[in-house]
């Protein structure tokens, strides 16, 4: 595997010099300052490449921008509303500019409204460290009592609804604000933020969109971009839902091996691939990560290697970021399966035999 590190740009607290010291061999980055749906210009891409290639003292870093994470898909595209056709055209233009710059891998996701969801961003662990955590009771307290989504209580068990009410009753105004900010937090470096009113508006617009319809929209998008990616020598790879189960009444369509199988078969091309995130998929007890890699590894173009500890056996349950060898995913077995896939690719003469990977979240 090629070991890479995610960098959010010049404002990231981690510098390129720090990344060199980590032992990383490449950089994963994106142009978060460009609004979703707009074109990534050659000049902006070149600027980020130059930033990656340069140390603080101006000398060469020896690193290159290897993976785009992410080239975002706008909500208009997901819903097929507003300027969605223009946004797809802009997406295709951005792909052309990325390919011309020599970058071959584009990671993205197709999650409605929220790219990822946690209820605590600095949850204290027994050893004194902190991590991100998703607590289903806290999330229900947000959904039912802070967001006040109509019918939200029907999406949870009676026990969760009761506990959510108790949790909400204990929160002061500052605690409510912290929980709301944790749930609606965007990516570091991103310009887009999500207010409660923004979220309510999005949820209203998604009200009539079922999982089947959202999948049709996704496939329609892929039909527009995958042939171009194949022509350009790009590898597109969809990140799984995080967490991989429905939230806020929204459909989730990239949560299991069956979800990936449906989309990869619908637009069957080596350019249409998967970002295997062991943490996102690993929060579901019915996802077997080594088995998923063994089945779909030939279409895996990017890896996020992290582990989570599930706090219950429920499909829709609480979890937190774990140490890499201490979570519920057998990381040793998963990596063995990844290395077997790389050996198979190398024997076949594939130029993409070495799969870029990066650590993700953690403690």
């Amino acid at each position: 595997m090629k070991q890479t590190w995610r960098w959010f740009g010049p404002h990231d607290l981690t510098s390129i010099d720090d990344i060199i010291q980590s032992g990383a061999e490449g950089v994963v980055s994106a142009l978060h300052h460009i609004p979703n749906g707009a074109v990534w210009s050659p000049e902006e891409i070149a600027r980020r490449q130059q930033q990656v290639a340069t140390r603080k003292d101006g000398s060469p870093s020896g690193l290159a921008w290897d993976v785009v994470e992410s080239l975002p898909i706008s909500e208009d595209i997901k819903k097929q509303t507003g300027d969605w056709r223009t946004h797809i055209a802009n997406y295709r233009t951005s792909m052309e500019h990325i390919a011309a710059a020599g970058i071959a891998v584009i990671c993205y996701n197709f999650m409605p409204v929220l790219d990822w969801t946690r209820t605590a961003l600095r949850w204290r662990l027994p050893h004194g460290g902190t991590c991100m955590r998703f607590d289903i009771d806290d999330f229900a307290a947000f959904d039912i009592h802070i967001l006040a989504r109509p019918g939200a209580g029907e999406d949870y068990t009676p026990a969760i609804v009761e506990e959510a009410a108790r949790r909400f009753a204990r929160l002061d105004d500052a605690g409510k604000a912290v929980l709301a900010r944790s749930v609606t937090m965007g990516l570091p470096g991103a310009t887009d933020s999500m207010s409660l009113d923004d979220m309510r508006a999005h949820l209203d617009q998604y009200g009539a969109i079922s999982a089947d319809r959202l999948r049709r929209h996704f496939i329609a998008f892929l039909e527009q971009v995958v042939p171009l990616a194949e022509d350009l020598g790009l590898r597109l790879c969809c990140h799984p839902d995080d967490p991989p189960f429905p939230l806020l009444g929204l459909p989730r369509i990239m949560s299991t091996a069956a979800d990936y199988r449906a989309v990869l078969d619908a637009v069957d091309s080596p350019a249409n691939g998967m970002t295997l995130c062991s943490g996102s998929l690993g929060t579901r007890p019915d996802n077997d990560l080594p088995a998923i890699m063994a089945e779909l590894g030939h279409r895996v173009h990017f890896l996020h290697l992290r582990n989570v500890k599930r706090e219950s056996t429920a499909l829709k349950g609480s979890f937190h970021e774990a140490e890499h060898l201490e979570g519920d995913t057998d990381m040793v077995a998963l990596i063995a399966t990844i290395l077997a896939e790389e050996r198979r690719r190398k024997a076949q003469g594939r130029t993409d035999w070495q799969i870029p990977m990066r650590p993700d979240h953690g403690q």
Side-chain angles (χ1 to χ4, degrees), residues 35-96:
N36 294 356
V39 171
W40 287 17
S41 70
E43 294 77 18
E44 289 287 353
I45 294 169
R47 183 176 296 112
R48 178 55 51 86
Q49 287 180 305
Q50 183 60 35
Q51 292 164 344
V52 169
T54 308
R55 296 175 185 257
K56 289 180 181 177
D57 64 4
S59 62
S61 69
L63 298 174
W65 184 4
D66 291 314
V67 178
V68 168
E69 185 184 352
S70 305
L71 182 59
I73 299 172
S74 72
E75 294 299 321
D76 281 357
I77 292 175
K78 295 170 190 173
K79 294 178 293 190
Q80 289 193 358
T81 58
D83 292 331
W84 68 279
R85 290 184 176 86
T86 299
H87 289 181
I88 289 180
N90 290 348
Y91 203 97
R92 288 168 55 90
T93 301
S94 296
M95 288 168 54
E96 292 170 346

Side-chain angles (χ1 to χ4, degrees), residues 119-134 138 311 319-321 362-363:
T119 56
L121 305 182
R122 295 175 181 85
W123 188 60
R124 182 71 62 180
L125 292 156
H127 57 50
T130 61
C131 70
M132 295 199 294
R133 181 178 185 235
F134 177 87
D138 284 345
E311 299 174 24
F319 61 88
H320 63 269
E321 310 293 342
Q363 297 179 359

